[in-house]
């Protein structure tokens, strides 16, 4: 099946007084129709810039320097600002971490969602728009939707506000929903409700989702496939079960080790990966993860590892997986299934 989104060798930079920040360095992936792709990584990995590049929301300093982004076969990188406005909120919608930054605190919720509907269909009168808003509130499981039309953002809980944002995003029945850390600011139980809601809406509407998060645990709840980003590049990409059962990249393993285990001794502290992300103004010439990788070898500092095919539908960017990697100290060559 033709993917809804096809990104090829995308490079995006920000031009600052300190120099060119190479935020995304040659990223390629597909989002299949009706499926969810998770993009996972720490802050500064390039995951959010990748999603903002798709919608061309890079601000005055950001620029796509090369690559291709196709939405259902149609190139987006060459579209004008006006054409992109039609794509945003129409065929592609986006929701963010903090709904308060996207909501107007002085306008009732019904009017805000109604405005979104009006922006895309000017034939509807106010009464018809409000009927559509009630329909959308019902769709995102907001209780007593008729009564909530006149409520203001501060009268909603964080979880309810995020439901309103999802309702706004769904107002135009997008083909692709980009969700950038939509549950990060919420309590775990509310987070779980929003993920369940997104999953059932996806089933009902058949849309595709690109889900940006720093949390592999959240990805497990929702995604069919996952791309792990670090230093502006995809380190590993695989189907969801594969990545949990057979991670091949040391960075993915580090992320997996930082997911809390229900059976874990509560006194034991989770171990974040020591070290900090690379300087993206002067990115390293070799593997960006090398300074933090427990398996780093000489070649890792000198040369960028090419992708290795690690399964029918998976790839990983690590020298350990290549046949010309020295056998000494290589856990894969010692017959172990995983490094950890
Ligand atoms: Fe570690 Fe080298 Fe693999 Fe990078 S290429 S993840 S530094 S072993």
């Amino acid at each position: 099946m033709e993917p809804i989104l096809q990104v090829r060798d995308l490079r995006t930079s920000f031009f600052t007084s300190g120099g060119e920040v190479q935020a995304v360095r040659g990223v390629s992936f597909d989002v299949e129709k009706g499926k969810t792709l998770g993009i996972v990584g720490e802050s500064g990995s390039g995951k959010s810039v990748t999603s903002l590049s798709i919608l061309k929301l890079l601000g005055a300093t950001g620029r796509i320097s090369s690559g291709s982004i196709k939405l259902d076969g149609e190139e987006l990188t060459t579209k004008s600002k006006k054409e992109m406005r039609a794509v945003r909120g129409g065929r592609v919608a986006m929701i963010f971490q903090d709904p308060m930054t996207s909501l107007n605190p002085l306008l009732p919720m019904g009017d805000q969602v109604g405005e979104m509907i009006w922006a895309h269909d000017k034939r509807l009168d106010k009464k018809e728009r409000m009927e559509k808003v009630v329909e959308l509130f019902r769709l995102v499981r907001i209780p007593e939707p008729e009564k909530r039309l006149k409520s203001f953002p501060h009268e909603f809980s964080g979880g309810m506000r995020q439901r309103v944002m999802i309702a706004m995003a769904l107002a135009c029945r997008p083909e692709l929903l980009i969700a950038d850390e939509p549950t990060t600011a919420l309590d775990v139980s509310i987070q779980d409700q929003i993920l369940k809601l997104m999953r059932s809406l996806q089933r009902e509407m058949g849309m595709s989702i690109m889900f940006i998060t720093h949390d592999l645990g959240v990805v497990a709840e929702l995604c069919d496939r996952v791309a792990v980003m670090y230093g502006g590049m995809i380190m590993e990409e695989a189907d969801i079960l594969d990545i949990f059962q057979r991670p091949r990249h040391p960075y993915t393993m580090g992320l997996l080790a930082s997911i809390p285990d229900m059976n874990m001794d509560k006194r034991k502290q989770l171990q974040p990966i020591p070290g900090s992300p690379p300087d993206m103004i002067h990115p390293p010439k070799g593997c960006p993860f090398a300074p933090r990788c427990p398996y780093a070898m000489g070649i890792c500092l000198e040369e960028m590892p090419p992708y290795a095919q690690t399964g029918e539908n998976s790839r990983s960017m690590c020298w350990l997986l290549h046949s010309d990697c020295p056998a000494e100290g290589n856990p894969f060559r010692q017959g172990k299934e995983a490094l950890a």
Side-chain angles (χ1 to χ4, degrees):
M1 195 195 282
E2 172 93 348
I4 184 72
L5 185 75
Q6 199 171 48
V7 176
R8 289 291 174 272
D9 201 21
L10 176 70
R11 288 170 194 273
T12 301
S13 290
F14 291 91
F15 296 86
T16 67
S17 53
E20 178 186 350
V21 180
Q22 298 173 43
V24 176
R25 300 192 292 152
V27 159
S28 301
F29 61 88
D30 289 348
V31 181
E32 300 294 331
K33 283 186 180 159
K35 301 280 183 192
T36 300
L37 172 75
I39 301 212
V40 188
E42 294 167 292
S43 78
S45 61
K47 59 190 193 310
S48 290
V49 178
T50 300
S51 63
L52 294 171
S53 302
I54 293 165
L55 291 174
K56 285 207 188 165
L57 289 173
L58 295 167
T61 57
R63 199 167 68 219
I64 295 174
S65 41
S66 64
S68 157
I69 301 169
K70 284 186 177 159
L71 180 67
D72 214 6
E74 209 178 313
E75 183 63 50
L76 296 186
T77 54
T78 51
K79 285 202 181 295
S80 66
K81 281 186 182 162
K82 191 176 166 208
E83 288 168 330
M84 278 312 293
R85 266 199 298 276
V87 171
R88 288 194 293 266
R91 298 176 66 193
V92 184
M94 187 156 184
I95 49 174
F96 297 93
Q97 180 176 337
D98 183 4
M100 269 323 244
T101 56
S102 313
L103 290 167
N104 181 341
L106 305 175
L107 208 61
M109 291 294 216
D111 290 359
Q112 301 200 42
V113 183
E115 268 184 13
M116 185 62 107
I117 294 168
W118 183 79
H120 292 274
D121 189 350
K122 306 224 171 7
R123 291 165 305 177
L124 299 176
D125 63 26
K126 172 131 193 195
K127 184 168 170 283
E128 288 167 325
R129 287 203 299 275
M130 285 307 126
E131 281 166 9
K132 278 219 172 278
V133 176
V134 169
E135 239 174 68
L136 282 167
F137 278 8
R138 203 163 278 135
L139 187 68
V140 297
R141 327 306 190 230
I142 291 177
E144 303 186 279
E146 291 87 352
K147 288 190 188 161
R148 307 312 299 264
L149 291 177
K150 293 206 181 316
S151 304
F152 288 88
H154 71 269
E155 294 174 292
F156 277 59
S157 65
M160 281 295 154
R161 281 198 289 264
Q162 199 52 286
R163 282 171 197 260
V164 173
M165 291 311 298
I166 297 173
M168 276 172 137
L170 299 182
C172 304
R173 303 244 152 198
E175 294 157 64
L176 174 68
L177 175 68
I178 300 178
D180 191 352
E181 305 262 12
T183 59
T184 304
L186 305 172
D187 292 346
V188 176
S189 63
I190 309 292
Q191 177 173 305
D192 196 46
Q193 288 173 19
I194 296 288
L195 292 175
K196 283 200 176 95
L197 171 69
M198 289 182 70
R199 209 167 33 214
S200 60
L201 287 174
Q202 182 184 35
R203 271 199 297 266
E204 285 166 38
M205 301 175 71
M207 70 185 165
S208 312
I209 300 179
M210 193 173 134
F211 196 91
I212 318 287
T213 178
H214 64 279
D215 185 346
L216 258 178
V218 168
V219 158
E221 295 280 314
L222 190 72
C223 300
D224 301 291
R225 204 166 158 72
V226 58
V228 179
M229 280 191 78
Y230 188 83
M233 298 169 144
I234 292 178
M235 296 286 110
E236 181 158 31
E237 188 186 358
D239 289 341
I240 193 75
L241 270 180
D242 212 24
I243 216 127
F244 278 86
Q245 288 175 354
R246 224 170 56 100
R248 307 301 274 181
H249 197 282
Y251 179 56
T252 313
M253 290 166 193
L255 285 181
L256 281 169
S258 64
I259 298 177
D261 180 342
M262 295 295 278
N263 305 316
M264 199 180 88
D265 182 344
K266 298 280 183 293
R267 287 161 304 183
K268 263 204 217 158
Q269 289 286 304
L270 284 169
Q271 288 306 316
I273 306 170
S276 37
D279 169 5
M280 301 307 280
I281 294 182
H282 305 104
K285 62 176 172 176
C287 171
F289 190 54
R292 301 170 76 184
C293 178
Y295 305 98
M297 304 161 282
I299 192 172
C300 306
L301 296 166
E302 293 304 319
E303 282 182 53
M304 190 69 78
Y307 283 107
Q309 198 72 29
T310 50
E312 202 185 319
N313 213 7
S314 53
R315 59 184 175 137
S316 182
M317 201 179 114
C318 175
W319 279 118
L320 292 172
L321 301 161
H322 285 271
S323 54
D324 40 359
C325 165
E328 198 186 326
N330 183 341
F332 287 119
R333 299 290 188 79
Q334 289 163 12
K336 291 182 187 168
E337 249 309 289
L339 293 170

PDB file of all heavy atoms in Angstrom, residues 8 14 22 25 48 60 94-95 110 112 118 138 162 195 203 211 221 229 233 240 288 298 300 303 316 320 322 334:
ATOM      1  N   ARG A   8      12.174  11.643   2.638  1.00  0.00           N
ATOM      2  CA  ARG A   8      13.431  11.105   2.109  1.00  0.00           C
ATOM      3  C   ARG A   8      14.576  12.104   2.292  1.00  0.00           C
ATOM      4  O   ARG A   8      14.496  13.245   1.841  1.00  0.00           O
ATOM      5  CB  ARG A   8      13.318  10.795   0.608  1.00  0.00           C
ATOM      6  CG  ARG A   8      12.435   9.606   0.302  1.00  0.00           C
ATOM      7  CD  ARG A   8      13.055   8.274   0.764  1.00  0.00           C
ATOM      8  NE  ARG A   8      12.124   7.171   0.587  1.00  0.00           N
ATOM      9  CZ  ARG A   8      11.214   6.776   1.488  1.00  0.00           C
ATOM     10  NH1 ARG A   8      11.110   7.389   2.646  1.00  0.00           N
ATOM     11  NH2 ARG A   8      10.424   5.747   1.247  1.00  0.00           N
ATOM     12  N   PHE A  14      18.752  25.412  11.523  1.00  0.00           N
ATOM     13  CA  PHE A  14      18.387  26.737  12.034  1.00  0.00           C
ATOM     14  C   PHE A  14      19.633  27.606  11.960  1.00  0.00           C
ATOM     15  O   PHE A  14      20.724  27.165  12.353  1.00  0.00           O
ATOM     16  CB  PHE A  14      17.879  26.634  13.472  1.00  0.00           C
ATOM     17  CG  PHE A  14      16.556  25.931  13.543  1.00  0.00           C
ATOM     18  CD1 PHE A  14      16.493  24.554  13.711  1.00  0.00           C
ATOM     19  CD2 PHE A  14      15.375  26.630  13.396  1.00  0.00           C
ATOM     20  CE1 PHE A  14      15.277  23.898  13.735  1.00  0.00           C
ATOM     21  CE2 PHE A  14      14.147  25.988  13.418  1.00  0.00           C
ATOM     22  CZ  PHE A  14      14.103  24.610  13.589  1.00  0.00           C
ATOM     23  N   GLN A  22      22.391  22.084  12.865  1.00  0.00           N
ATOM     24  CA  GLN A  22      21.929  21.038  11.930  1.00  0.00           C
ATOM     25  C   GLN A  22      20.993  20.080  12.679  1.00  0.00           C
ATOM     26  O   GLN A  22      21.409  19.019  13.127  1.00  0.00           O
ATOM     27  CB  GLN A  22      23.120  20.296  11.343  1.00  0.00           C
ATOM     28  CG  GLN A  22      24.034  21.221  10.545  1.00  0.00           C
ATOM     29  CD  GLN A  22      25.305  20.513  10.095  1.00  0.00           C
ATOM     30  OE1 GLN A  22      25.277  19.372   9.648  1.00  0.00           O
ATOM     31  NE2 GLN A  22      26.429  21.193  10.220  1.00  0.00           N
ATOM     32  N   ARG A  25      19.438  15.618  10.110  1.00  0.00           N
ATOM     33  CA  ARG A  25      20.558  15.357   9.201  1.00  0.00           C
ATOM     34  C   ARG A  25      20.331  14.099   8.364  1.00  0.00           C
ATOM     35  O   ARG A  25      20.868  13.035   8.640  1.00  0.00           O
ATOM     36  CB  ARG A  25      21.842  15.195  10.004  1.00  0.00           C
ATOM     37  CG  ARG A  25      22.185  16.431  10.831  1.00  0.00           C
ATOM     38  CD  ARG A  25      23.587  16.350  11.383  1.00  0.00           C
ATOM     39  NE  ARG A  25      23.748  15.312  12.382  1.00  0.00           N
ATOM     40  CZ  ARG A  25      24.893  14.690  12.625  1.00  0.00           C
ATOM     41  NH1 ARG A  25      25.975  14.979  11.934  1.00  0.00           N
ATOM     42  NH2 ARG A  25      24.963  13.783  13.565  1.00  0.00           N
ATOM     43  N   SER A  48      11.046  16.663  17.025  1.00  0.00           N
ATOM     44  CA  SER A  48      10.027  17.715  16.841  1.00  0.00           C
ATOM     45  C   SER A  48      10.313  18.540  15.596  1.00  0.00           C
ATOM     46  O   SER A  48       9.388  18.919  14.870  1.00  0.00           O
ATOM     47  CB  SER A  48       9.964  18.640  18.056  1.00  0.00           C
ATOM     48  OG  SER A  48       9.426  17.941  19.134  1.00  0.00           O
ATOM     49  N   ALA A  60      11.351  31.951  11.445  1.00  0.00           N
ATOM     50  CA  ALA A  60      12.185  32.763  10.554  1.00  0.00           C
ATOM     51  C   ALA A  60      13.584  32.184  10.369  1.00  0.00           C
ATOM     52  O   ALA A  60      14.207  32.365   9.319  1.00  0.00           O
ATOM     53  CB  ALA A  60      12.278  34.176  11.112  1.00  0.00           C
ATOM     54  N   MET A  94      -2.156  18.921  13.613  1.00  0.00           N
ATOM     55  CA  MET A  94      -1.107  18.705  14.608  1.00  0.00           C
ATOM     56  C   MET A  94      -1.628  19.034  16.004  1.00  0.00           C
ATOM     57  O   MET A  94      -2.351  20.022  16.172  1.00  0.00           O
ATOM     58  CB  MET A  94       0.085  19.593  14.254  1.00  0.00           C
ATOM     59  CG  MET A  94       1.296  19.323  15.110  1.00  0.00           C
ATOM     60  SD  MET A  94       2.814  19.829  14.277  1.00  0.00           S
ATOM     61  CE  MET A  94       4.011  19.273  15.486  1.00  0.00           C
ATOM     62  N   ILE A  95      -1.262  18.219  16.982  1.00  0.00           N
ATOM     63  CA  ILE A  95      -1.543  18.579  18.377  1.00  0.00           C
ATOM     64  C   ILE A  95      -0.235  18.613  19.155  1.00  0.00           C
ATOM     65  O   ILE A  95       0.690  17.859  18.867  1.00  0.00           O
ATOM     66  CB  ILE A  95      -2.567  17.634  19.059  1.00  0.00           C
ATOM     67  CG1 ILE A  95      -2.219  16.161  18.861  1.00  0.00           C
ATOM     68  CG2 ILE A  95      -3.968  17.909  18.593  1.00  0.00           C
ATOM     69  CD1 ILE A  95      -3.133  15.226  19.642  1.00  0.00           C
ATOM     70  N   GLY A 110     -16.442  26.129  22.730  1.00  0.00           N
ATOM     71  CA  GLY A 110     -17.300  25.858  21.563  1.00  0.00           C
ATOM     72  C   GLY A 110     -16.945  26.783  20.406  1.00  0.00           C
ATOM     73  O   GLY A 110     -16.845  26.352  19.256  1.00  0.00           O
ATOM     74  N   GLN A 112     -14.094  28.281  19.887  1.00  0.00           N
ATOM     75  CA  GLN A 112     -12.750  28.018  19.354  1.00  0.00           C
ATOM     76  C   GLN A 112     -12.765  26.852  18.358  1.00  0.00           C
ATOM     77  O   GLN A 112     -12.155  26.932  17.295  1.00  0.00           O
ATOM     78  CB  GLN A 112     -11.773  27.707  20.495  1.00  0.00           C
ATOM     79  CG  GLN A 112     -11.684  28.852  21.472  1.00  0.00           C
ATOM     80  CD  GLN A 112     -10.434  28.825  22.329  1.00  0.00           C
ATOM     81  OE1 GLN A 112      -9.342  28.555  21.847  1.00  0.00           O
ATOM     82  NE2 GLN A 112     -10.577  29.134  23.593  1.00  0.00           N
ATOM     83  N   TRP A 118     -15.214  26.637  10.740  1.00  0.00           N
ATOM     84  CA  TRP A 118     -15.549  27.725   9.815  1.00  0.00           C
ATOM     85  C   TRP A 118     -14.400  27.990   8.840  1.00  0.00           C
ATOM     86  O   TRP A 118     -14.606  28.255   7.662  1.00  0.00           O
ATOM     87  CB  TRP A 118     -15.882  28.987  10.616  1.00  0.00           C
ATOM     88  CG  TRP A 118     -16.311  30.134   9.761  1.00  0.00           C
ATOM     89  CD1 TRP A 118     -17.546  30.325   9.203  1.00  0.00           C
ATOM     90  CD2 TRP A 118     -15.505  31.243   9.352  1.00  0.00           C
ATOM     91  NE1 TRP A 118     -17.567  31.484   8.475  1.00  0.00           N
ATOM     92  CE2 TRP A 118     -16.321  32.069   8.548  1.00  0.00           C
ATOM     93  CE3 TRP A 118     -14.186  31.628   9.581  1.00  0.00           C
ATOM     94  CZ2 TRP A 118     -15.860  33.244   7.969  1.00  0.00           C
ATOM     95  CZ3 TRP A 118     -13.728  32.796   9.012  1.00  0.00           C
ATOM     96  CH2 TRP A 118     -14.554  33.592   8.220  1.00  0.00           C
ATOM     97  N   ARG A 138     -18.484  14.901  21.432  1.00  0.00           N
ATOM     98  CA  ARG A 138     -18.966  13.550  21.733  1.00  0.00           C
ATOM     99  C   ARG A 138     -17.942  12.513  21.249  1.00  0.00           C
ATOM    100  O   ARG A 138     -17.636  11.554  21.941  1.00  0.00           O
ATOM    101  CB  ARG A 138     -20.314  13.345  21.016  1.00  0.00           C
ATOM    102  CG  ARG A 138     -21.152  12.272  21.653  1.00  0.00           C
ATOM    103  CD  ARG A 138     -22.606  12.343  21.223  1.00  0.00           C
ATOM    104  NE  ARG A 138     -23.371  13.327  21.968  1.00  0.00           N
ATOM    105  CZ  ARG A 138     -24.213  14.202  21.424  1.00  0.00           C
ATOM    106  NH1 ARG A 138     -24.409  14.217  20.122  1.00  0.00           N
ATOM    107  NH2 ARG A 138     -24.881  15.039  22.194  1.00  0.00           N
ATOM    108  N   GLN A 162      -6.860  18.658  26.435  1.00  0.00           N
ATOM    109  CA  GLN A 162      -6.203  17.916  25.346  1.00  0.00           C
ATOM    110  C   GLN A 162      -7.258  17.238  24.460  1.00  0.00           C
ATOM    111  O   GLN A 162      -7.093  17.168  23.245  1.00  0.00           O
ATOM    112  CB  GLN A 162      -5.207  16.900  25.931  1.00  0.00           C
ATOM    113  CG  GLN A 162      -4.151  16.389  24.973  1.00  0.00           C
ATOM    114  CD  GLN A 162      -3.356  17.463  24.238  1.00  0.00           C
ATOM    115  OE1 GLN A 162      -3.844  18.108  23.322  1.00  0.00           O
ATOM    116  NE2 GLN A 162      -2.110  17.668  24.644  1.00  0.00           N
ATOM    117  N   LEU A 195      -4.341   8.172  25.285  1.00  0.00           N
ATOM    118  CA  LEU A 195      -3.779   7.207  24.328  1.00  0.00           C
ATOM    119  C   LEU A 195      -4.860   6.243  23.842  1.00  0.00           C
ATOM    120  O   LEU A 195      -4.945   5.935  22.651  1.00  0.00           O
ATOM    121  CB  LEU A 195      -2.627   6.428  24.967  1.00  0.00           C
ATOM    122  CG  LEU A 195      -1.362   7.247  25.274  1.00  0.00           C
ATOM    123  CD1 LEU A 195      -0.338   6.401  26.009  1.00  0.00           C
ATOM    124  CD2 LEU A 195      -0.742   7.815  24.004  1.00  0.00           C
ATOM    125  N   ARG A 203      -8.995   3.930  14.810  1.00  0.00           N
ATOM    126  CA  ARG A 203      -9.740   2.789  14.251  1.00  0.00           C
ATOM    127  C   ARG A 203     -11.029   3.264  13.584  1.00  0.00           C
ATOM    128  O   ARG A 203     -11.366   2.847  12.487  1.00  0.00           O
ATOM    129  CB  ARG A 203     -10.065   1.770  15.348  1.00  0.00           C
ATOM    130  CG  ARG A 203      -8.963   0.732  15.511  1.00  0.00           C
ATOM    131  CD  ARG A 203      -9.474  -0.491  16.232  1.00  0.00           C
ATOM    132  NE  ARG A 203      -9.892  -0.157  17.585  1.00  0.00           N
ATOM    133  CZ  ARG A 203      -9.113  -0.272  18.657  1.00  0.00           C
ATOM    134  NH1 ARG A 203      -7.891  -0.704  18.540  1.00  0.00           N
ATOM    135  NH2 ARG A 203      -9.563   0.044  19.849  1.00  0.00           N
ATOM    136  N   PHE A 211       3.458   9.971  15.915  1.00  0.00           N
ATOM    137  CA  PHE A 211       3.427  10.266  17.342  1.00  0.00           C
ATOM    138  C   PHE A 211       4.844  10.540  17.842  1.00  0.00           C
ATOM    139  O   PHE A 211       5.703   9.654  17.835  1.00  0.00           O
ATOM    140  CB  PHE A 211       2.825   9.063  18.075  1.00  0.00           C
ATOM    141  CG  PHE A 211       2.392   9.358  19.473  1.00  0.00           C
ATOM    142  CD1 PHE A 211       1.102   9.783  19.735  1.00  0.00           C
ATOM    143  CD2 PHE A 211       3.275   9.217  20.530  1.00  0.00           C
ATOM    144  CE1 PHE A 211       0.699  10.069  21.026  1.00  0.00           C
ATOM    145  CE2 PHE A 211       2.889   9.504  21.820  1.00  0.00           C
ATOM    146  CZ  PHE A 211       1.591   9.920  22.072  1.00  0.00           C
ATOM    147  N   GLU A 221       2.085   1.561  23.701  1.00  0.00           N
ATOM    148  CA  GLU A 221       0.631   1.612  23.827  1.00  0.00           C
ATOM    149  C   GLU A 221      -0.072   1.851  22.491  1.00  0.00           C
ATOM    150  O   GLU A 221      -1.214   1.475  22.315  1.00  0.00           O
ATOM    151  CB  GLU A 221       0.219   2.783  24.738  1.00  0.00           C
ATOM    152  CG  GLU A 221       0.658   2.658  26.163  1.00  0.00           C
ATOM    153  CD  GLU A 221      -0.275   1.738  26.918  1.00  0.00           C
ATOM    154  OE1 GLU A 221      -1.489   1.898  26.771  1.00  0.00           O
ATOM    155  OE2 GLU A 221       0.247   0.862  27.628  1.00  0.00           O
ATOM    156  N   MET A 229      15.295   8.355  17.167  1.00  0.00           N
ATOM    157  CA  MET A 229      16.174   9.427  16.667  1.00  0.00           C
ATOM    158  C   MET A 229      17.208   9.846  17.700  1.00  0.00           C
ATOM    159  O   MET A 229      16.943   9.876  18.900  1.00  0.00           O
ATOM    160  CB  MET A 229      15.349  10.658  16.267  1.00  0.00           C
ATOM    161  CG  MET A 229      14.711  10.520  14.908  1.00  0.00           C
ATOM    162  SD  MET A 229      14.012  12.078  14.298  1.00  0.00           S
ATOM    163  CE  MET A 229      15.471  12.949  13.743  1.00  0.00           C
ATOM    164  N   MET A 233      19.391  12.151  13.526  1.00  0.00           N
ATOM    165  CA  MET A 233      19.338  11.010  12.593  1.00  0.00           C
ATOM    166  C   MET A 233      18.496   9.880  13.180  1.00  0.00           C
ATOM    167  O   MET A 233      18.313   9.815  14.407  1.00  0.00           O
ATOM    168  CB  MET A 233      20.748  10.454  12.373  1.00  0.00           C
ATOM    169  CG  MET A 233      21.670  11.455  11.755  1.00  0.00           C
ATOM    170  SD  MET A 233      23.334  10.832  11.826  1.00  0.00           S
ATOM    171  CE  MET A 233      23.927  11.462  10.293  1.00  0.00           C
ATOM    172  N   ILE A 240       6.957  -2.483  16.087  1.00  0.00           N
ATOM    173  CA  ILE A 240       6.962  -2.254  17.530  1.00  0.00           C
ATOM    174  C   ILE A 240       7.416  -3.489  18.336  1.00  0.00           C
ATOM    175  O   ILE A 240       8.245  -3.374  19.238  1.00  0.00           O
ATOM    176  CB  ILE A 240       5.582  -1.714  17.998  1.00  0.00           C
ATOM    177  CG1 ILE A 240       5.660  -1.169  19.404  1.00  0.00           C
ATOM    178  CG2 ILE A 240       4.458  -2.715  17.858  1.00  0.00           C
ATOM    179  CD1 ILE A 240       6.326   0.136  19.492  1.00  0.00           C
ATOM    180  N   PRO A 288      26.970   9.722  16.167  1.00  0.00           N
ATOM    181  CA  PRO A 288      26.672  10.768  17.144  1.00  0.00           C
ATOM    182  C   PRO A 288      26.550  10.249  18.576  1.00  0.00           C
ATOM    183  O   PRO A 288      26.725  11.000  19.536  1.00  0.00           O
ATOM    184  CB  PRO A 288      25.334  11.358  16.657  1.00  0.00           C
ATOM    185  CG  PRO A 288      24.769  10.366  15.706  1.00  0.00           C
ATOM    186  CD  PRO A 288      25.918   9.581  15.148  1.00  0.00           C
ATOM    187  N   GLY A 298      37.096   2.582  17.908  1.00  0.00           N
ATOM    188  CA  GLY A 298      37.811   3.643  17.194  1.00  0.00           C
ATOM    189  C   GLY A 298      37.065   4.112  15.959  1.00  0.00           C
ATOM    190  O   GLY A 298      36.896   5.307  15.724  1.00  0.00           O
ATOM    191  N   CYS A 300      33.992   4.177  15.315  1.00  0.00           N
ATOM    192  CA  CYS A 300      32.754   4.906  15.629  1.00  0.00           C
ATOM    193  C   CYS A 300      33.014   6.418  15.693  1.00  0.00           C
ATOM    194  O   CYS A 300      32.147   7.213  15.337  1.00  0.00           O
ATOM    195  CB  CYS A 300      32.172   4.448  16.957  1.00  0.00           C
ATOM    196  SG  CYS A 300      31.909   2.680  17.065  1.00  0.00           S
ATOM    197  N   GLU A 303      34.090   7.419  11.563  1.00  0.00           N
ATOM    198  CA  GLU A 303      33.216   7.267  10.388  1.00  0.00           C
ATOM    199  C   GLU A 303      31.768   7.034  10.798  1.00  0.00           C
ATOM    200  O   GLU A 303      31.509   6.279  11.744  1.00  0.00           O
ATOM    201  CB  GLU A 303      33.660   6.055   9.558  1.00  0.00           C
ATOM    202  CG  GLU A 303      34.862   6.319   8.695  1.00  0.00           C
ATOM    203  CD  GLU A 303      35.209   5.086   7.882  1.00  0.00           C
ATOM    204  OE1 GLU A 303      34.331   4.543   7.184  1.00  0.00           O
ATOM    205  OE2 GLU A 303      36.375   4.657   7.981  1.00  0.00           O
ATOM    206  N   SER A 316      19.216  -0.585  11.400  1.00  0.00           N
ATOM    207  CA  SER A 316      19.877   0.009  12.554  1.00  0.00           C
ATOM    208  C   SER A 316      21.217   0.581  12.103  1.00  0.00           C
ATOM    209  O   SER A 316      21.891   0.010  11.245  1.00  0.00           O
ATOM    210  CB  SER A 316      20.084  -1.079  13.619  1.00  0.00           C
ATOM    211  OG  SER A 316      20.665  -0.524  14.758  1.00  0.00           O
ATOM    212  N   LEU A 320      28.552  -2.124  15.036  1.00  0.00           N
ATOM    213  CA  LEU A 320      28.569  -3.486  15.583  1.00  0.00           C
ATOM    214  C   LEU A 320      27.846  -4.486  14.683  1.00  0.00           C
ATOM    215  O   LEU A 320      28.085  -5.686  14.747  1.00  0.00           O
ATOM    216  CB  LEU A 320      27.883  -3.515  16.960  1.00  0.00           C
ATOM    217  CG  LEU A 320      28.595  -2.802  18.097  1.00  0.00           C
ATOM    218  CD1 LEU A 320      27.708  -2.767  19.320  1.00  0.00           C
ATOM    219  CD2 LEU A 320      29.919  -3.480  18.409  1.00  0.00           C
ATOM    220  N   HIS A 322      27.877  -4.548  11.393  1.00  0.00           N
ATOM    221  CA  HIS A 322      28.474  -4.701  10.061  1.00  0.00           C
ATOM    222  C   HIS A 322      29.543  -5.783  10.048  1.00  0.00           C
ATOM    223  O   HIS A 322      30.266  -5.958  11.021  1.00  0.00           O
ATOM    224  CB  HIS A 322      29.053  -3.367   9.596  1.00  0.00           C
ATOM    225  CG  HIS A 322      27.961  -2.430   9.184  1.00  0.00           C
ATOM    226  ND1 HIS A 322      27.459  -2.380   7.912  1.00  0.00           N
ATOM    227  CD2 HIS A 322      27.232  -1.557   9.915  1.00  0.00           C
ATOM    228  CE1 HIS A 322      26.483  -1.495   7.872  1.00  0.00           C
ATOM    229  NE2 HIS A 322      26.328  -0.979   9.071  1.00  0.00           N
ATOM    230  N   GLN A 334      29.824 -12.544  19.508  1.00  0.00           N
ATOM    231  CA  GLN A 334      30.036 -13.551  20.536  1.00  0.00           C
ATOM    232  C   GLN A 334      28.790 -14.408  20.730  1.00  0.00           C
ATOM    233  O   GLN A 334      28.641 -15.119  21.703  1.00  0.00           O
ATOM    234  CB  GLN A 334      30.436 -12.875  21.851  1.00  0.00           C
ATOM    235  CG  GLN A 334      31.839 -12.310  21.781  1.00  0.00           C
ATOM    236  CD  GLN A 334      32.118 -11.303  22.866  1.00  0.00           C
ATOM    237  OE1 GLN A 334      31.346 -11.167  23.809  1.00  0.00           O
ATOM    238  NE2 GLN A 334      33.218 -10.592  22.737  1.00  0.00           N
TER     239      GLN A 334
END
